Short mmCIF file of all heavy atoms in Angstrom, two decimals:
data_model
loop_
_atom_site.label_atom_id
_atom_site.label_comp_id
_atom_site.label_asym_id
_atom_site.label_seq_id
_atom_site.Cartn_x
_atom_site.Cartn_y
_atom_site.Cartn_z
N SER D 17 -7.38 6.46 1.60
CA SER D 17 -7.44 6.23 0.17
C SER D 17 -8.81 6.72 -0.39
O SER D 17 -9.84 6.44 0.24
CB SER D 17 -7.28 4.72 -0.11
OG SER D 17 -7.43 4.48 -1.48
N CYS D 18 -8.76 7.43 -1.51
CA CYS D 18 -10.00 7.89 -2.12
C CYS D 18 -10.02 7.46 -3.58
O CYS D 18 -9.07 7.68 -4.33
CB CYS D 18 -10.12 9.42 -2.08
SG CYS D 18 -10.44 10.05 -0.42
N ASP D 19 -11.11 6.83 -3.97
CA ASP D 19 -11.31 6.44 -5.36
C ASP D 19 -12.31 7.45 -5.96
O ASP D 19 -13.48 7.48 -5.57
CB ASP D 19 -11.89 5.04 -5.44
CG ASP D 19 -11.93 4.51 -6.86
OD1 ASP D 19 -12.16 5.29 -7.83
OD2 ASP D 19 -11.72 3.28 -7.03
N PHE D 20 -11.83 8.29 -6.84
CA PHE D 20 -12.65 9.36 -7.40
C PHE D 20 -13.78 8.88 -8.29
O PHE D 20 -14.79 9.56 -8.46
CB PHE D 20 -11.76 10.36 -8.17
CG PHE D 20 -10.76 11.08 -7.29
CD1 PHE D 20 -9.46 11.21 -7.69
CD2 PHE D 20 -11.15 11.63 -6.09
CE1 PHE D 20 -8.55 11.91 -6.90
CE2 PHE D 20 -10.25 12.29 -5.27
CZ PHE D 20 -8.93 12.42 -5.68
N ARG D 21 -13.61 7.70 -8.90
CA ARG D 21 -14.68 7.20 -9.75
C ARG D 21 -15.94 6.93 -8.97
O ARG D 21 -17.06 7.11 -9.48
CB ARG D 21 -14.25 5.87 -10.44
CG ARG D 21 -13.27 6.07 -11.56
CD ARG D 21 -12.85 4.73 -12.07
NE ARG D 21 -12.19 4.04 -11.00
CZ ARG D 21 -11.60 2.88 -11.08
NH1 ARG D 21 -11.60 2.23 -12.21
NH2 ARG D 21 -10.98 2.32 -10.08
N TYR D 22 -15.83 6.50 -7.75
CA TYR D 22 -16.97 6.10 -6.95
C TYR D 22 -17.23 7.04 -5.80
O TYR D 22 -18.17 6.81 -5.00
CB TYR D 22 -16.75 4.68 -6.39
CG TYR D 22 -16.48 3.68 -7.45
CD1 TYR D 22 -15.21 3.10 -7.60
CD2 TYR D 22 -17.46 3.30 -8.37
CE1 TYR D 22 -14.93 2.19 -8.59
CE2 TYR D 22 -17.20 2.39 -9.40
CZ TYR D 22 -15.91 1.86 -9.51
OH TYR D 22 -15.67 0.96 -10.49
N ASP D 23 -16.49 8.15 -5.67
CA ASP D 23 -16.60 9.05 -4.54
C ASP D 23 -16.54 8.26 -3.24
O ASP D 23 -17.35 8.48 -2.33
CB ASP D 23 -17.90 9.88 -4.63
CG ASP D 23 -17.85 10.92 -5.72
OD1 ASP D 23 -16.74 11.37 -6.08
OD2 ASP D 23 -18.93 11.30 -6.21
N LEU D 24 -15.58 7.37 -3.15
CA LEU D 24 -15.46 6.47 -1.97
C LEU D 24 -14.07 6.66 -1.38
O LEU D 24 -13.06 6.54 -2.05
CB LEU D 24 -15.63 5.03 -2.43
CG LEU D 24 -15.41 3.99 -1.35
CD1 LEU D 24 -16.54 4.03 -0.34
CD2 LEU D 24 -15.30 2.60 -1.98
N CYS D 25 -14.05 6.99 -0.11
CA CYS D 25 -12.80 7.13 0.64
C CYS D 25 -12.79 6.15 1.79
O CYS D 25 -13.82 5.92 2.41
CB CYS D 25 -12.64 8.55 1.15
SG CYS D 25 -12.50 9.81 -0.12
N THR D 26 -11.64 5.57 2.08
CA THR D 26 -11.47 4.62 3.17
C THR D 26 -10.31 5.04 4.06
O THR D 26 -9.35 5.61 3.60
CB THR D 26 -11.25 3.17 2.66
OG1 THR D 26 -10.04 3.21 1.86
CG2 THR D 26 -12.39 2.68 1.83
N ILE D 27 -10.44 4.72 5.34
CA ILE D 27 -9.36 4.92 6.28
C ILE D 27 -9.04 3.55 6.85
O ILE D 27 -9.93 2.86 7.35
CB ILE D 27 -9.79 5.89 7.41
CG1 ILE D 27 -10.15 7.23 6.84
CG2 ILE D 27 -8.69 6.01 8.44
CD1 ILE D 27 -10.75 8.20 7.84
N THR D 28 -7.79 3.16 6.77
CA THR D 28 -7.35 1.87 7.28
C THR D 28 -6.29 2.11 8.36
O THR D 28 -5.36 2.85 8.18
CB THR D 28 -6.75 1.01 6.16
OG1 THR D 28 -7.69 0.92 5.08
CG2 THR D 28 -6.39 -0.38 6.66
N LEU D 29 -6.51 1.46 9.53
CA LEU D 29 -5.56 1.60 10.65
C LEU D 29 -4.99 0.23 10.96
O LEU D 29 -5.70 -0.78 10.99
CB LEU D 29 -6.29 2.13 11.87
CG LEU D 29 -7.01 3.44 11.74
CD1 LEU D 29 -7.76 3.78 13.01
CD2 LEU D 29 -6.07 4.54 11.35
N SER D 30 -3.71 0.19 11.22
CA SER D 30 -3.10 -1.07 11.64
C SER D 30 -3.44 -1.39 13.09
O SER D 30 -4.02 -0.57 13.81
CB SER D 30 -1.55 -0.97 11.49
OG SER D 30 -1.04 -0.13 12.51
N GLY D 31 -3.08 -2.56 13.55
CA GLY D 31 -3.34 -2.95 14.90
C GLY D 31 -2.68 -2.05 15.93
O GLY D 31 -3.11 -2.05 17.12
N TRP D 32 -1.66 -1.33 15.58
CA TRP D 32 -1.01 -0.43 16.54
C TRP D 32 -1.93 0.69 17.00
O TRP D 32 -1.67 1.31 18.00
CB TRP D 32 0.26 0.19 15.90
CG TRP D 32 1.30 -0.86 15.60
CD1 TRP D 32 1.66 -1.28 14.37
CD2 TRP D 32 2.12 -1.53 16.54
NE1 TRP D 32 2.64 -2.25 14.46
CE2 TRP D 32 2.93 -2.43 15.81
CE3 TRP D 32 2.20 -1.56 17.93
CZ2 TRP D 32 3.84 -3.26 16.44
CZ3 TRP D 32 3.12 -2.39 18.54
CH2 TRP D 32 3.91 -3.25 17.80
N HIS D 33 -2.99 0.91 16.26
CA HIS D 33 -3.96 1.98 16.61
C HIS D 33 -5.19 1.43 17.32
O HIS D 33 -6.15 2.14 17.49
CB HIS D 33 -4.34 2.76 15.35
CG HIS D 33 -3.17 3.50 14.74
ND1 HIS D 33 -2.63 4.62 15.26
CD2 HIS D 33 -2.45 3.16 13.65
CE1 HIS D 33 -1.60 4.99 14.54
NE2 HIS D 33 -1.47 4.12 13.54
N HIS D 34 -5.10 0.19 17.77
CA HIS D 34 -6.22 -0.45 18.43
C HIS D 34 -6.55 0.34 19.73
O HIS D 34 -5.74 0.41 20.61
CB HIS D 34 -5.89 -1.89 18.76
CG HIS D 34 -6.96 -2.65 19.42
ND1 HIS D 34 -8.02 -3.20 18.74
CD2 HIS D 34 -7.20 -2.91 20.73
CE1 HIS D 34 -8.82 -3.82 19.61
NE2 HIS D 34 -8.35 -3.65 20.83
N GLY D 35 -7.75 0.91 19.76
CA GLY D 35 -8.22 1.56 20.96
C GLY D 35 -7.65 2.90 21.33
O GLY D 35 -7.95 3.44 22.41
N ILE D 36 -6.80 3.46 20.47
CA ILE D 36 -6.23 4.78 20.81
C ILE D 36 -6.75 5.90 19.92
O ILE D 36 -6.29 7.04 20.01
CB ILE D 36 -4.67 4.75 20.77
CG1 ILE D 36 -4.16 4.45 19.39
CG2 ILE D 36 -4.14 3.78 21.80
CD1 ILE D 36 -2.66 4.62 19.24
N SER D 37 -7.67 5.58 19.03
CA SER D 37 -8.22 6.62 18.16
C SER D 37 -9.71 6.76 18.48
O SER D 37 -10.33 5.87 19.01
CB SER D 37 -8.02 6.30 16.70
OG SER D 37 -8.66 5.08 16.36
N ALA D 38 -10.24 7.91 18.11
CA ALA D 38 -11.66 8.15 18.33
C ALA D 38 -12.15 9.19 17.34
O ALA D 38 -11.32 9.84 16.65
CB ALA D 38 -11.93 8.64 19.77
N GLY D 39 -13.43 9.32 17.24
CA GLY D 39 -14.05 10.27 16.32
C GLY D 39 -15.40 9.69 15.86
O GLY D 39 -15.92 8.74 16.47
N LEU D 40 -15.89 10.23 14.79
CA LEU D 40 -17.18 9.76 14.28
C LEU D 40 -17.10 8.32 13.82
O LEU D 40 -18.11 7.61 13.79
CB LEU D 40 -17.61 10.68 13.11
CG LEU D 40 -19.09 10.83 12.90
CD1 LEU D 40 -19.79 11.41 14.08
CD2 LEU D 40 -19.36 11.71 11.68
N PHE D 41 -15.91 7.82 13.45
CA PHE D 41 -15.74 6.43 13.06
C PHE D 41 -15.56 5.47 14.23
O PHE D 41 -15.33 4.31 14.05
CB PHE D 41 -14.54 6.32 12.12
CG PHE D 41 -14.79 6.79 10.73
CD1 PHE D 41 -13.75 6.90 9.81
CD2 PHE D 41 -16.08 7.13 10.30
CE1 PHE D 41 -14.00 7.34 8.52
CE2 PHE D 41 -16.31 7.59 9.00
CZ PHE D 41 -15.27 7.68 8.12
N GLY D 42 -15.69 5.98 15.45
CA GLY D 42 -15.68 5.11 16.62
C GLY D 42 -14.30 5.00 17.27
O GLY D 42 -13.41 5.79 16.98
N THR D 43 -14.16 3.99 18.10
CA THR D 43 -12.99 3.87 18.94
C THR D 43 -11.95 2.88 18.42
O THR D 43 -10.88 2.73 19.00
CB THR D 43 -13.39 3.42 20.39
OG1 THR D 43 -14.15 2.22 20.26
CG2 THR D 43 -14.19 4.50 21.05
N ASN D 44 -12.27 2.13 17.38
CA ASN D 44 -11.34 1.19 16.77
C ASN D 44 -10.79 0.19 17.79
O ASN D 44 -9.59 -0.07 17.86
CB ASN D 44 -10.16 1.94 16.09
CG ASN D 44 -9.31 1.02 15.27
OD1 ASN D 44 -9.80 0.11 14.60
ND2 ASN D 44 -8.02 1.23 15.29
N ASP D 45 -11.68 -0.37 18.59
CA ASP D 45 -11.25 -1.41 19.52
C ASP D 45 -12.08 -2.68 19.45
O ASP D 45 -12.01 -3.53 20.33
CB ASP D 45 -11.24 -0.85 20.97
CG ASP D 45 -12.63 -0.48 21.44
OD1 ASP D 45 -13.58 -0.59 20.67
OD2 ASP D 45 -12.74 0.00 22.60
N ASN D 46 -12.87 -2.83 18.40
CA ASN D 46 -13.69 -4.03 18.17
C ASN D 46 -14.76 -4.26 19.24
O ASN D 46 -15.23 -5.39 19.41
CB ASN D 46 -12.83 -5.28 17.99
CG ASN D 46 -12.00 -5.22 16.76
OD1 ASN D 46 -12.43 -4.64 15.74
ND2 ASN D 46 -10.79 -5.74 16.81
N GLU D 47 -15.10 -3.23 20.01
CA GLU D 47 -16.14 -3.34 20.99
C GLU D 47 -17.36 -2.56 20.53
O GLU D 47 -17.34 -1.33 20.45
CB GLU D 47 -15.66 -2.76 22.34
CG GLU D 47 -14.53 -3.50 22.98
CD GLU D 47 -14.94 -4.90 23.41
OE1 GLU D 47 -16.10 -5.13 23.73
OE2 GLU D 47 -14.00 -5.75 23.44
N ALA D 48 -18.43 -3.22 20.15
CA ALA D 48 -19.62 -2.60 19.62
C ALA D 48 -20.30 -1.71 20.64
O ALA D 48 -20.93 -0.70 20.29
CB ALA D 48 -20.63 -3.65 19.12
N GLY D 49 -20.11 -2.01 21.91
CA GLY D 49 -20.79 -1.22 22.96
C GLY D 49 -20.29 0.17 23.21
O GLY D 49 -20.96 0.95 23.85
#
């Protein structure tokens, strides 16, 4: 989702994507390490 007024974009993943994605936004597994 991107809000053009604020130049703000968000990516939201459901729990089905827990730990199976990666990239600059991290691993999405709630492990800070």
